[in-house]
Amino acid sequence: MLRRTFLVGGLTVSGGFLLGLPVRSALAGNDTASKGGEIGFFVEVKPDNTVIIGVAQPEIGQGVRTSMPMLVAEELDVEWSNVTVRQMPLGIVKTADGYTWKYGSQGAGGSTAVTDNWDFLREVGATARQMLVAVAASRWEVEPGACHTEPGEVVCNRLGTRVRYSDLAQDAAKLPVPSEKPPFKAAADYHIIGKPAGVVDIRDIVTGKARFGIDTEVPGMHYAVIQRSPYLDGAVKSFDDSEARKVPGVVDVFKIDGPGPGEPYLILASGVAVVATSTWAALQGRKVLEIDWDKGPHQNESTESFWRQAKELLSGQGQVVRDDGDLDAALAQASKVVTARYEIPFVNHAPMEPQNCFVHVEEGKATVIAPTQSPSGANRAVASVTGLPRENIEVQMTRVGGGFGRRLTNDYVAEAAMISQKIGAPVKLQWSREDDVRHDFYRPSGLHELKAGLDDAGKVTAWTQRLASAGKYYRRPNVAQEDQYKPELYIDDFPAQVIGNLRTEWFEVQSGMPRGSWRAPAHTANAFVVQSFLDEIAHASGQDPLQLRLDLYGQSRDLPYGQHGGPTYNPWRLSRLLKHVADRVDYTAERPQGRAVGIASHFTFGGYAAHAVEVEVSGVGELNIKKIVAAVDCGIAVNPLGVEAQLEGGTIDGLSTALNLEITVENGRVVQSNFHNYRIARMSQIPAALETHILPYGDKPTGMGEMGLPSIAPALTNAIYNACGVRIRKLPLRDQLKKALA
Amino acid sequence: MIEFHVNNEPVSFSGDEDTPLLWILRDHLRLTGTKFGCGIGSCGACMVHIDGRASKACTSKASSVAGKRITTIEGLASPRGELHPVQQAWIDEDVPQCGYCQGGQIMAAVDLLNSNPEPSDEDIASKMRNICRCGTYVRIRKAIHRASTTMRKGT
Ligand code: FES
Ligand code: FES
């Protein structure tokens, strides 16, 4: 196993034993294909026998600072209560052939951390344990095989003796890394993996000590805000800062140039920056700026014009991205054809912590302290702004007040770099909530048309999905036009490969709205339309929605899956979850008028989830969600408490979005601005009866950040239909029921 | 010059009297546990106690807190570091995800339990109006019930 050569031993200043990872390219030719080998780590055994474990990924609430060290600690064999966690900075290193990453890939996105690091981080722990055992064995003059470990100690039963890791660490650090791969523990022997572990930083969080990006404070730091163009791709024509400069504390005001229309985004918009000695002064200065805007090329764009365009497109022929069997013939032969259109709105990420970033650009170097999901992207953004060599840009990661995909894009980091460079001083850029709602890389909006052909027995023999959307890969010079559909339609998703005659078609809607990755990207849209449409098929053909799904998902087997989450998926695992949630919600029970359940399930990035929702809809369209049952199959759950949290959080996110959330455009401007008109669900909208269930499968974990979200919306709207006969084909729900039943 | 108490320490502020308490706490007093979420009194991330009642720091002007006693999340535990039962319940129920909203949630929950020591689910839902973008509402509810029990037992 070549990746073993990535491990190096060493001593720390404090006399601890450090197991680290050297620079990849220093080991050119070794195991570059190993995904697991791309993560950095370190293990430090302290003299008091406690252990520090490094985490390379940023904590955005997905629990990596807990789950990743658990993998190391398990195989290292220490008590979890003796572990503390250290956040690694970005490990960028320049080599002869470009840049390399000392700690491997450090991004947080796509629910990949646990999957990618399962083998690797366990191996890190096991290797450290193996080296500690080797030292003990040689001291005792026995074979390593005569020793075993108990948490924090090496034990030799034959000699009846034991020694603490801390007493071995100094010598272990001098050993070469063993060339033989250490054996992993049997799952039955786990005392950390699979056991519920609380959030490692929880005491700091509940006492207000946890530091987020916004809490960064550096001596001499300035505070800045930017008034960005409210018009999509607008620009500053001219501005008058005379009043702004009179505000006490305001020290500078200047223009920030944004990308031209259609150009790639380094930052989102043109604007005027106000720099001050406090956040409040900067905000006050911004309030009195007079800016004359060039309204740009999209000043006539509106939500209405978007849908009009999408509808026109669907009347034509799009880009066929999957075409199995003979769809047209199958539809012609079908004894029943069902068709429906669904509308998915733009939505805002709205992480709880508004965007912010500290940057200090100095002669020849820069320091960045950022709440980001992509520290290497932050580094690249600052390099683009300043022209500094990337290895001279240090990126430190803070705890992040929510990501949801928004902080995969580092536009706010680039802005902070522009300001620091201009004023020649350290600066913390602060976005307001209004800035965040109006300037985002929104989840793409799209119009989906689905059509299915059924035979006499009600079997689905033909299926087509046609989507007109504003895709998120636009304005990227490195993505070919024919690949633009890829993040909008995952062409191996169910029911591809299950229904033989199937065609998928994509149409590009032109829009000035910036678009990006929003938690579980296209799965949120596609789960809604596919799982709604399955119910529509069932009702149109007199079948039971659960049984229809069980029939389609079929027997346990692996189907090829070429997108993220592959290489295979097994739709039967969705059936298992569906039966479980159906059972827990008492699917077959007789219910009074106006009360009903709905179900849905979806495969997302390697994980499987299902939801059952019980609702009551009154005669005038008041919705009361009685109960939600959510179940997930994420392989094995490394931290069940964390998995449940993600399932609860994903469910609530999906519910909040389906019930309330939409970003609309008028005259080329985003209409919503803050939580009063972008209404994230509060506790009163979330039923107290929300159950989560974990159904383990196999012997490997998958990620959990996104899986819990996609199937809740269609489970809800399927329940609504069953309760009152109103089919929701447009999100969000808002007051549609009241209107329909009035 | 505006004088008031924060976490039992006297403080004074001589800047713009319209400055929200939020930014005085964060930028001037470096008490960053009180968070900025919306600035319009909608989300509750900035919740503190002013004379014992939960209040939003983003909409409380400096001039309005003269002479008042303010407690922030940093001042909730005892000076010796013993956690408030609500903080302990938050740990026992493993409430936080990103954690950003949780200081404000805890300050709101303490106020709720002070005025209603044994709230029902409906009481909790109607009084706990703070936004949690990560969706920790299920555990917040459980933690409030748990804290209610421990506080009534006086343990
Ligand atoms: S920041 Fe004060 S209520 Fe949102
Ligand atoms: S824990 Fe993230 S916003 Fe509440």
Side-chain angles (χ1 to χ4, degrees), chain A residues 59-80:
Chain A
E59 176 63 67
I60 59 175
Q62 85 283 44
V64 281
R65 280 173 58 90
T66 308
S67 59
M68 308 287 267
M70 287 173 77
L71 302 179
V72 178
E74 178 70 67
E75 290 292 343
L76 178 61
D77 203 9
V78 292
E79 289 296 356
W80 179 240

Side-chain angles (χ1 to χ4, degrees), chain A residues 60-61 205 212 350-353 400-402 404, chain B residues 95-102 105 131-137 140:
Chain A
I60 59 175
I205 293 169
F212 294 80
M352 205 69 222
E353 176 186 10
V400 185
F404 312 105
Chain B
V95 174
Q97 290 185 29
C98 82
Y100 193 79
C101 73
Q102 299 296 345
Q105 304 278 6
I131 293 175
C132 174
R133 175 65 180 89
C134 297
T136 62
Y137 298 125
I140 289 175

Side-chain angles (χ1 to χ4, degrees), chain A residues 198-199 203 206 211-212 214-215 217 279 349-350 354 399 433 641 645 648-649 653 674 681-682 684 686 688, chain B residues 16 19-20 26-27 30 32 35-38 40 42 73 81 87 94 97-98 100 129 133-135 137 139 141:
Chain A
V199 171
R203 199 182 162 97
V206 302
R211 306 288 277 186
F212 294 80
I214 197 172
D215 304 326
E217 175 65 41
T279 313
H349 295 85
R399 191 175 187 85
R433 177 58 56 192
L641 208 50
E648 282 168 12
D653 193 356
N674 204 321
R682 296 172 198 255
S684 55
I686 307 303
Chain B
D16 174 7
T19 307
R26 293 187 52 82
D27 286 358
R30 312 277 183 244
T32 53
K35 298 299 193 224
F36 169 55
C38 68
I40 61 165
S42 174
I73 186 69
Q87 290 170 309
D94 197 43
Q97 290 185 29
C98 82
Y100 193 79
R129 300 286 303 152
R133 175 65 180 89
C134 297
Y137 298 125
R139 293 187 184 187
R141 198 185 267 118

Side-chain angles (χ1 to χ4, degrees), chain A residues 37-48:
Chain A
E38 290 172 5
I39 171 92
F41 61 90
F42 63 66
V43 173
E44 185 178 342
V45 181
K46 304 282 279 184
D48 64 358

Side-chain angles (χ1 to χ4, degrees), chain A residues 153-213:
Chain A
E153 294 180 325
V154 181
V155 180
C156 178
N157 282 342
R158 200 193 303 156
L159 300 178
T161 185
R162 57 181 60 226
V163 58
R164 285 155 37 115
Y165 284 178
S166 53
D167 296 330
L168 303 167
Q170 298 240 359
D171 289 344
K174 293 174 201 144
L175 289 184
V177 173
S179 56
E180 215 151 284
K181 182 185 158 108
F184 284 150
K185 282 184 179 176
D189 295 332
Y190 289 160
H191 63 101
I192 297 174
I193 293 174
K195 305 286 181 293
V199 171
V200 294
D201 305 299
I202 197 161
R203 199 182 162 97
D204 283 349
I205 293 169
V206 302
T207 53
K209 292 196 189 85
R211 306 288 277 186
F212 294 80

